């Protein structure tokens, strides 16, 4: 998770303010911080930032990014990080690169912009992430020598730990392509037809009941390249009521996870479904395994050579970092069919959901993000899932083409399941969201 630990350069900071900003930094993620105290700290940091203090500018961006003492606002966070960089802050440039690297909130994921900001920064974690991008070829031509050089010159523990693993990987003669860790039992079947995904019509499935098996694919942050895959079993029981309540079971890494869920409009929303996955490489020996909260899976159905496949885009949250997990894709079938690496990867090309929500589940603030292809009449509503009644109208207006983000702030909203409904010129898009 991007935090304010390890502050910005001192060019535009005075020592008295710096001490106080460090003190506030130690408080903002403490369990004893109340909403009232959060608002007080936000106002105090903002006053330092308005006087041009570079450390306060960095921290103010974090307040906006995480919604601490103020509504969640990634556009304001981005502007504060730019101001911090302009004030001489290497941390400000790193913070911007991190937003673009993972595409947090309503920030569009962009490797080239991430690299641009990382390269402007001498902040150690910026150099660390830049080394990763060269090693794996994210947004640049793969250059392991350059990656190793960056890590060797970066005198922080994270880089030391990662460098040791990269060195060992090369000594073992492992060619670290993005598909190194695919299960070896996947073999090509020359008797099967073409798996070119763009030639196969994908439609939302009407039903997902039954027992399925296949693979969970972990993608890079752009969602376009497969890093590795894991065998997975997946079963869905019969729909229990008119709301789409179902029982599910996911088996991965020899662990079985049972969960309740809601099946609606091609999306399965899961409750209390958590899995643990070992990291491919770790930056710290105490963090070799990440715990994921599985939130929802949006399915499409493809029929290839008379075989039905379910392709699911999985949304998750990394619990240790309280941020979204990388894109993950399920490829499932009810038949015993082996796929080549190339065939498996071809299923990765999926359309993104029209509505992007952040975070989901949410506590106080929810960002609702979408893109219009043309000027349109738009109505955005929050609906109670079980009652179907309108809880709040977020907007009802004529909007220009392009990207739009609305912030839903409702401190009186009860915990539960809700629907975000976006109507564009009469066409309805919806997505479930959980309020904690």
């Amino acid at each position: 998770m991007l935090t304010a630990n390890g502050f910005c350069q001192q060019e535009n900071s005075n020592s008295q303010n710096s001490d106080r900003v460090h003190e506030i930094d130690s408080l903002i993620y403490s369990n004893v911080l109340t909403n009232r105290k959060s608002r007080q700290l936000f106002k105090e940091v903002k006053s330092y930032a308005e006087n041009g203090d570079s450390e306060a500018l960095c921290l103010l961006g974090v307040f906006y990014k995480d919604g601490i003492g103020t509504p969640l606002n990634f556009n304001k966070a981005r502007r504060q990080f730019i101001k911090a960089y302009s004030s001489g802050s290497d941390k400000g440039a790193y913070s911007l690169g991190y937003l673009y690297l993972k595409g947090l909130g309503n920030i569009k994921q962009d490797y080239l912009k991430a690299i641009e900001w990382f390269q402007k920064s001498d902040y150690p974690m910026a150099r660390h992430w830049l080394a990763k991008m060269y090693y794996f070829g994210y947004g640049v031509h793969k250059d392991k020598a350059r990656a190793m050089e960056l890590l060797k010159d970066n005198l922080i523990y994270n880089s030391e730990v990662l460098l040791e693993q990269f060195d060992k990987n090369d000594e073992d003669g492992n060619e670290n392509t993005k598909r190194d860790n695919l299960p070896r039992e996947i073999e090509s079947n020359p008797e099967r037809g073409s798996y070119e995904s763009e030639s196969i019509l994908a439609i939302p499935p009407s039903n997902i009941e039954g027992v399925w098996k296949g693979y969970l694919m972990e993608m890079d942050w752009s969602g376009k390249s497969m890093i590795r895959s894991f065998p997975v079993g997946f079963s869905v029981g019969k729909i229990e009521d008119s709301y789409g309540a179902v029982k599910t079971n996911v088996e991965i890494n020899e662990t079985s996870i049972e969960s309740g869920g809601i099946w609606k409009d091609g999306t399965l929303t899961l409750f209390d479904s958590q899995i643990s996955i070992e990291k491919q490489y770790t930056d710290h020996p105490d963090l070799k395994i990440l715990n994921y909260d599985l939130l929802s899976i949006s399915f499409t159905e493809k029929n290839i050579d008379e075989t039905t496949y379910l392709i699911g885009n999985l949304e998750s949250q990394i619990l240790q970092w309280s941020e979204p997990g990388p894109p993950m894709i399920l490829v499932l079938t009810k038949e015993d069919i082996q796929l080549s690496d190339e065939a498996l990867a071809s299923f990765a090309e999926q359309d993104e959901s029209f509505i992007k929500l952040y975070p989901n589940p949410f506590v106080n603030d929810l960002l609702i993000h979408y893109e219009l292809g043309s000027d349109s009449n738009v109505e955005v509503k929050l609906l109670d899932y079980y009652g179907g009644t309108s809880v709040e109208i977020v907007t009802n207006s004529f909007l220009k083409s392009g990207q739009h983000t609305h912030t839903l702030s409702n401190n009186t909203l009860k915990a539960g399941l809700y629907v975000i409904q976006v109507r564009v010129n009469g066409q309805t898009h919806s997505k479930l969201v959980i309020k904690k």
Side-chain angles (χ1 to χ4, degrees):
M1 181 176 180
L2 177 63
T3 70
N5 297 325
F7 282 86
C8 313
Q9 293 178 329
Q10 303 290 320
E11 284 85 343
N12 292 337
S13 298
N14 73 49
S15 59
Q16 185 175 358
N17 286 353
S18 179
D19 291 341
R20 178 55 180 158
V21 172
H22 277 270
E23 183 181 350
I24 293 174
D25 171 61
S26 67
L27 291 173
I28 60 175
Y29 294 110
S30 64
N31 294 327
V32 298
L33 191 62
T34 63
N35 288 335
R36 181 180 178 183
K37 186 64 175 176
S38 296
R39 291 192 293 271
Q40 291 174 346
L41 294 179
F42 168 77
K43 290 179 180 179
E44 185 176 355
V45 170
K46 187 177 180 182
S47 68
Y48 298 144
E50 288 172 345
N51 289 326
D53 185 285
S54 61
E55 292 187 356
L57 285 163
C58 283
L59 186 54
L60 186 61
V62 174
F63 271 75
Y64 282 122
K65 182 186 75 69
D66 291 336
I68 301 172
T70 185
L72 196 66
N73 194 315
F74 277 81
N75 292 329
K76 288 184 178 181
R78 178 168 48 185
R79 288 196 291 269
Q80 293 305 317
F81 292 142
I82 291 174
K83 288 180 181 179
Y85 169 70
S86 299
S87 297
S89 166
D90 280 329
K91 177 82 181 285
Y94 159 70
S95 302
L96 284 161
Y98 193 86
L99 290 182
Y100 286 114
L101 172 73
K102 296 189 174 182
L104 297 180
N106 60 302
I107 305 298
K108 187 176 179 62
Q109 196 279 337
D110 191 324
Y111 282 145
L112 294 181
K113 288 185 178 180
I115 291 168
E116 176 187 350
W117 286 106
F118 287 155
Q119 287 178 333
K120 290 180 179 180
S121 177
D122 284 329
Y123 187 72
M125 284 306 296
R127 311 286 287 178
H128 182 81
W129 273 105
L130 192 59
K132 283 187 175 183
M133 297 181 79
Y134 274 110
Y135 193 87
F136 295 110
Y138 294 156
V140 293
H141 291 296
K142 186 184 296 187
D143 189 340
K144 291 187 178 181
R146 175 64 174 147
M148 299 294 207
E149 179 184 338
L150 285 167
L151 292 174
K152 288 176 181 176
D153 293 340
N154 205 36
L155 302 180
I156 58 173
Y157 187 58
N158 302 64
S159 293
E160 180 183 338
V161 171
L162 189 60
L163 178 62
E164 183 178 347
Q165 293 171 81
F166 285 172
D167 279 336
K168 185 178 185 303
N169 181 69
D170 287 348
E171 287 173 3
D172 292 342
N174 296 327
E175 179 59 29
N176 188 33
T177 65
K178 293 187 176 70
R179 297 177 187 151
D180 271 350
N181 296 306
L182 290 175
R184 294 299 96 196
E185 66 269 20
I186 301 179
E187 300 292 343
S188 298
N189 186 337
E191 295 182 1
R192 301 198 60 78
S194 169
Y195 292 94
E196 292 298 322
S197 59
E198 60 267 25
S199 64
I200 306 299
L201 180 63
I203 59 173
S206 59
N207 194 347
I208 58 169
E209 293 178 7
V211 178
W212 303 81
K213 47 195 165 184
Y215 295 93
L216 173 66
M217 298 192 296
E218 180 184 351
M219 312 296 290
D220 75 313
W221 287 104
S222 73
K224 296 177 181 176
S225 296
M226 181 169 61
I227 296 174
R228 54 182 177 165
S229 72
F230 307 90
V232 64
F234 184 75
S235 63
V236 182
K238 291 185 177 181
I239 296 177
E240 298 177 350
D241 55 34
S242 59
Y243 298 114
V246 294
K247 294 289 180 61
T248 69
N249 183 279
V250 180
E251 295 180 7
I252 184 172
N253 290 345
E254 300 181 351
T255 300
S256 180
I257 308 104
E258 293 185 355
S259 170
I262 294 288
W263 171 247
K264 178 178 174 62
D265 298 333
T267 296
L268 179 65
T269 300
L270 299 169
F271 307 134
D272 299 321
S273 183
Q274 298 178 5
I275 61 172
S276 297
I277 299 178
E278 185 175 358
K279 295 181 68 177
Q280 185 182 24
Y281 296 98
T282 184
D283 303 295
H284 197 286
D286 294 336
L287 193 61
K288 295 181 179 180
I289 294 176
L290 291 180
N291 300 318
Y292 294 81
D293 189 7
L294 306 185
L295 305 175
S296 66
I297 312 172
S298 298
F299 284 102
T300 55
E301 181 179 292
K302 291 185 178 182
N303 291 293
I304 304 173
D305 293 349
E306 300 181 352
T307 298
T308 299
Y309 294 89
L310 285 186
I311 317 300
N313 285 344
L314 189 153
E315 291 187 359
S316 67
Q317 183 181 49
I318 300 175
L319 296 178
Q320 288 98 327
W321 300 336
S322 297
E323 70 178 34
M328 293 187 181
I329 297 173
L330 284 169
V331 178
L332 304 170
T333 181
K334 291 184 177 180
E335 301 181 31
D336 289 321
I337 293 176
Q338 296 177 328
L339 300 175
S340 68
D341 295 358
E342 291 76 14
L344 190 61
S346 74
F347 285 105
E349 298 181 11
Q350 294 296 300
D351 293 332
E352 293 184 0
S353 173
F354 177 75
I355 306 171
K356 182 179 180 182
L357 304 178
Y358 184 95
N360 185 13
F362 73 103
V363 178
N364 295 315
D365 300 328
L366 176 69
L367 296 184
I368 305 167
H369 182 72
Y370 54 89
E371 185 171 1
L372 300 176
S374 60
D375 299 352
S376 305
N377 291 303
V378 178
E379 181 184 51
V380 180
K381 285 184 178 181
L382 175 72
L383 306 174
D384 174 68
Y385 178 75
Y386 294 104
T389 56
S390 176
V391 177
E392 182 173 336
I393 297 177
V394 180
T395 189
N396 187 1
S397 55
F398 183 79
L399 300 178
K400 296 291 186 180
S401 62
Q403 298 187 34
H404 295 272
T405 302
H406 310 288
T407 301
L408 173 68
S409 297
N410 191 326
N411 295 327
T412 63
L413 200 63
K414 295 181 180 179
L417 187 64
Y418 295 86
V419 179
I420 296 296
Q421 184 184 87
V422 180
R423 289 178 60 85
V424 180
N425 292 333
Q427 182 179 1
T428 300
H429 307 267
S430 62
K431 195 164 188 177
L432 299 190
V433 63
I434 299 171
K435 169 69 167 65
K436 283 190 173 181

